[in-house]
Amino acid sequence: MRMFSALPLAAALALTGVPLHAGDTPAVTVDHAWVRLLPGTLPAGGYATVHNSGNTPRTVTGASSRDYKHVMLHQSTTQGGMSRMRMIDKLTVPAHATVKLTPGGYHLMLMNATHTIKVGDMIPVTLHFADGKTLTVQFKVRPANAH
């Protein structure tokens, strides 16, 4: 019997916006995925919109990319006129809800590029979920002044 990986199919479906179901697993899709490239060796920020059309919450517990040594979940907040950024262990996307990764809010911090990254490149980022499943999404690299 020949075995094959469903991951390439899952990634292709995610890129097309087609809901991804695995048995009774809630559908998670990601769109508007982009990376803000900063000069030199400064970390890049990853932003996207994560949709959960399933009946149960989905929890992102981490992310990885072959193009960066470290990808971390972060949250930026402003309180009393002070901006702060902290690493978070997880990000829950409620059932039938959307969570946006945006500048000034939840985002991915991509550190230590493994090669030269240029504006226009597509960076695959794999989201890791608490149930052990993963979803790979293509993030488009945009310049530092992108919004």
Side-chain angles (χ1 to χ4, degrees), residues 13-27:
L13 290 174
L15 289 175
T16 63
V18 174
L20 171 65
H21 292 278
D24 61 353
T25 302

Side-chain angles (χ1 to χ4, degrees), residues 115-132:
H115 59 89
T116 301
I117 306 291
K118 301 179 305 302
V119 170
D121 287 351
M122 296 299 287
I123 302 294
V125 175
T126 301
L127 302 178
H128 302 267
F129 293 89
D131 62 4

Side-chain angles (χ1 to χ4, degrees), residues 14 25 51 62 66 100 102 106 133 142:
T25 302
H51 307 276
R66 67 177 184 235
K100 291 186 177 188
T102 62
Y106 293 112
K133 294 189 177 10
R142 297 174 64 192

Side-chain angles (χ1 to χ4, degrees), residues 44-93:
Y47 312 104
T49 303
V50 183
H51 307 276
N52 178 5
S53 63
N55 294 324
T56 58
R58 293 297 306 272
T59 301
V60 179
T61 57
S64 60
S65 175
R66 67 177 184 235
D67 297 299
Y68 287 89
K69 290 182 183 175
H70 305 287
V71 181
M72 298 169 283
L73 292 167
H74 275 217
Q75 181 183 24
S76 295
T77 57
T78 302
Q79 192 172 34
M82 293 282 296
S83 293
R84 299 176 193 265
M85 182 172 39
R86 67 183 177 95
M87 190 170 91
I88 58 174
D89 294 329
K90 62 184 177 181
L91 177 63
T92 299
V93 184

